[in-house]
Every structure is written in structure tokens, then in C-alpha cells.
Amino acid sequence: MRVLGIETTCDETGISIVEDGRRILVNRVLSQVPLHERFGGVVPEIASRAHVETITRMIEAGLADAGIALPPAGALDAVAVAFRPGLVGSLLVGVTAAKCLSWAWDLPLVGVDHLHAHIYASCMTAAGPAGAPLEEEELFPAISLVISGGHSALYLSEGWTRHQLIGATTDDAVGEAFDKAAAVLGLGYPGGPAISRAAEAGNPRTIEFTRTLFESDSLDFSFSGIKTAVLYAAKGQNAARAAPLLPGVRLADLAASFQEAVVDVLLEKLRRALRREGLQRAIIGGGVAANRRLRERLDALAAREEYRIYYPDLRLCTDNGAMIAGLGFRLLEEGVRSDLSLDADPIAAR
Ligand code: KG4
Ligand code: ZN
């Protein structure tokens, strides 16, 4: 079964064709970074306009990559689209395109939760130790941690399509904290990869940033404090963002210290969730799951505690249509269908 996956929740236009939920035939991602970088973050109105301008061409190119002529009679079996959560204007473009194609080509339509799809991405690798097992009974129940530009969320997962939210962000998402810290440090956008690169040459013990963990049983996240702490550590109290770095402060040390504090928080929350639920298996997804230091520390944690921790291939951590098509296939297998009343929903499911 071949599913066309459409992803437009934020600032990437993702078009993919996936066979049987796992085999990626096409995975095109058009990033809008050049449009947003001078603003230091995604501008919603610019994002939705850019999706409108590119989506038709992206779909045509994706189908051409797979050698599918139009209309794709028999060559496609369904259309899956990310319908929540995200920027409403961006979501609307993908959802409208998917509904049009489903209607015009008479194909089943399924709406996919973007955050659940980030979790699903962990099994979309060649079978082997790096990819989560496809068989649900080998993996679930598990704890899933989604860490992206818009969300930090912990789930108790019972299957690829069944996730119960057990911890969430109370203010800034973790990727947002990377982006804002990078902006303060003049490292550009998106901030995650830039901080990670800068941190390579730094000492993570230079500045002991406060790790906000809440009460000992809390699974919620807060990253707004550390972003202000980075500003003060870099430029002094009451400094403006544009001020120069304080004398003696090394950018690499700041980046490494920031990254280490964030990774500590993510690991501690994951450990708490695993302990509370009495589980040994975890799945990580979302753009921040691409972070090298995080992966190193997760691997060490897994080895020490005998956990099994899975994350996606690097190219499937950030937003893409493959994970939407993949999870769409699972939902369709379970008999889930959307109709033309499917609507964009900006809010994450509770
Ligand atoms: O999942 P994603 O592509 O979009 C959302 O659903 O939000 O995540 C994008 C986020 C950005 O905040 C970006 O800075 C962060 O993921 N990111 C990283 C890395 N690569 C991307 N953060 C830390 N280290 C990275 N290597
Ligand atoms: Zn995402």
C-alpha cells in the first residue's frame, strides 16, 4: 500500500511516498529557513504563504520522483496529512491540498497527529538495532519523548497510534530554547544545529545553569528561565540582545554549558517517566532528537540502566512527510479514515 504523506505544520513543506508504512520511496523536504532566518524564528504569515506557493510543485515533483503519472490511477492508495498541532495557516495549506487530492483522485484520506508521527519516525529505518521494532508487542508499552521546536512532551505509549500525554511544556519548547539561545549568541537560525556545532569546542562545566525540574515527581518541562540565564551569562544583567559578549566569556563554553543543562533536564524527565511507569523502553522523536550530545548521553544512560532507547535517522528527526505517510498507513490499517470535514487543529491533543 502506497501512501502520499503531506506535512505543512510549520516551516517545512514535506511530501513523501511510503510503501507499507516503512519503505520510503520519496521524501522531499523544502525548508523555508532562508525566508525566516533574518527574523530569528518562523513568521507564521510568511510560512503559510510559502506553503501555498510551493505545495503543488512539491507534490508534482514527488510523484515524478516515484515515476507516477497524473492522475495516479492505481499507483497511490491513500493520502495522509498532518492536521495537528501547528501553525494554523500552515496546517490549512496541507489539509486543503490533501482533501482536494483525496476527492479528485478518489483516494482514502487520513489526518495524522504531527507529534505522534515524530514518534513513529523511529521505526522508519532499515530493520536493525537503530530502528525501533515494527512489531508492537516487541516495543510497547514504552515512554515516548517528543522534543521539537514547538513541543516538549512525554507520552505513555501503548502502540504506534495510542499515546497518552503524561508530561508537557509549561512555557518554551526545548527546540525554541535552542533557537532563542542561539539568537542571543548571534549563532543564527535554526539554533539547534548551530549551538551543537559551537558546543563541540566548549567546556560544558563552565557555567552551571539552573536545571528547572519542578517537584520530584513532575514530568513537565520549563525552558524559559535558561534562555534568560544565557543572555545574562553572555552579556551581563539587563543587557540587550545586541550587546557584545562580556570580556572573558567564550561562546563555545556558553553553548556547551547551555546544551548540557538542557540535556540533563531531558534525561532526568525521561528517567522519571520510565521509573514511574516501570518501563525499560523509550522512543525519542522531533528535531532536537538530532542533537549529538543528547544521543551520546542517551546511549550512555541506556547502557547503564539497561534501557532500550530508539530514535529516528537524522534526516527523519526534523519535520518530513515520510513520518506522516508512515503513521497514516498504520491508522488506515486500523480502519481510521477522515472525510472532507477534516480541519486544521493548531492545538496539541491532551
Ligand atoms: O521537529 P521540528 O523539525 O519542528 C517542529 O515540529 O517544531 O524541530 C525543529 C527544532 C528547531 O527548534 C531546531 O533548532 C531543533 O529542532 N533542532 C535541534 C537540532 N536540529 C534541529 N536542536 C538541537 N540540536 C540539533 N542538532
Ligand atoms: Zn515537528
Side-chain angles (χ1 to χ4, degrees):
M1 183 170 178
R2 283 178 172 184
V3 178
L4 173 68
I6 301 178
E7 155 62 42
T8 63
T9 59
C10 189
D11 64 335
E12 262 106 20
T13 316
I15 298 295
S16 179
I17 301 170
V18 173
E19 208 165 66
D20 296 336
R22 204 179 200 192
R23 207 164 87 82
I24 300 170
L25 304 182
V26 173
N27 188 24
R28 278 187 173 251
V29 179
L30 184 66
S31 162
Q32 299 177 2
V33 163
L35 299 178
H36 301 288
E37 61 187 344
R38 72 188 167 103
F39 302 103
V42 177
V43 183
E45 179 68 7
I46 293 176
S48 52
R49 277 169 190 268
H51 285 304
V52 170
E53 282 163 13
T54 55
I55 191 140
T56 310
R57 276 187 284 121
M58 285 287 288
I59 292 168
E60 282 171 353
L63 293 171
D65 287 348
I68 297 174
L70 290 174
L76 276 184
D77 300 290
V79 181
V81 63
F83 78 105
R84 105 182 148 204
L87 301 171
V88 72
S90 292
L91 283 164
L92 271 171
V93 179
V95 168
T96 306
K99 289 200 285 192
C100 290
L101 296 181
S102 150
W103 180 73
W105 295 342
D106 197 20
L107 293 174
L109 172 71
V110 64
V112 174
D113 184 299
H114 174 87
L115 300 176
H116 298 175
H118 271 307
I119 300 168
Y120 186 79
S122 63
C123 78
M124 299 192 74
T125 48
L134 203 52
E135 296 307 322
E136 295 201 318
E137 49 281 12
E138 290 175 38
L139 181 59
F140 299 107
I143 297 296
S144 301
L145 172 66
V146 178
I147 37 180
S148 71
H151 296 86
S152 323
L154 275 163
Y155 298 89
L156 174 57
S157 301
E158 301 284 353
W160 290 123
T161 61
R162 295 191 302 283
H163 308 282
Q164 184 200 334
L165 189 71
I166 56 172
T169 170
T170 56
D171 43 51
D172 290 2
V174 56
E176 193 178 352
F178 269 97
D179 294 336
K180 288 178 175 167
V184 163
L185 300 178
L187 289 171
Y189 176 83
I195 294 250
S196 176
R197 269 194 306 277
E200 302 264 313
N203 174 1
R205 296 278 157 242
T206 315
I207 301 159
E208 283 298 318
F209 288 115
T210 303
R211 279 73 167 150
T212 306
L213 295 167
F214 300 125
E215 318 80 78
S216 60
D217 60 346
S218 168
L219 298 179
D220 288 332
F221 299 90
S222 165
F223 292 106
S224 70
I226 194 166
K227 142 195 103 182
T228 315
V230 168
L231 176 63
Y232 290 167
K235 302 178 176 185
Q237 295 281 331
N238 305 320
R241 248 171 59 167
L245 285 187
L246 290 170
V249 172
R250 285 184 67 230
L251 187 68
D253 291 339
L254 261 172
S257 300
F258 164 81
Q259 179 175 262
E260 204 66 10
V262 170
V263 168
D264 276 347
V265 170
L266 295 175
L267 259 68
E268 171 61 16
K269 295 286 172 171
L270 179 64
R271 276 216 323 258
R272 283 183 187 181
L274 285 163
R275 249 190 263 131
R276 191 180 91 175
E277 303 298 335
L279 298 173
Q280 296 283 110
R281 289 178 297 238
I283 308 170
I284 321 292
V288 181
N291 185 269
R292 236 179 74 187
R293 182 67 182 146
L294 174 67
R295 286 179 178 235
E296 257 172 40
R297 298 273 314 273
L298 282 171
D299 287 345
L301 174 71
R304 208 168 51 241
E305 305 280 344
E306 295 188 5
Y307 294 149
R308 309 250 356 189
I309 302 180
Y310 302 97
Y311 23 69
D313 277 358
L314 283 180
R315 71 192 172 114
L316 295 179
C317 288
T318 43
D319 291 349
N320 65 85
M323 64 185 193
I324 306 299
L327 184 57
F329 169 79
R330 301 277 150 214
L331 288 162
L332 290 160
E333 259 194 335
E334 292 176 9
V336 179
R337 299 278 184 286
S338 304
D339 60 26
L340 296 182
S341 67
L342 179 69
D343 206 355
D345 180 358
I347 311 293
R350 294 280 335 162

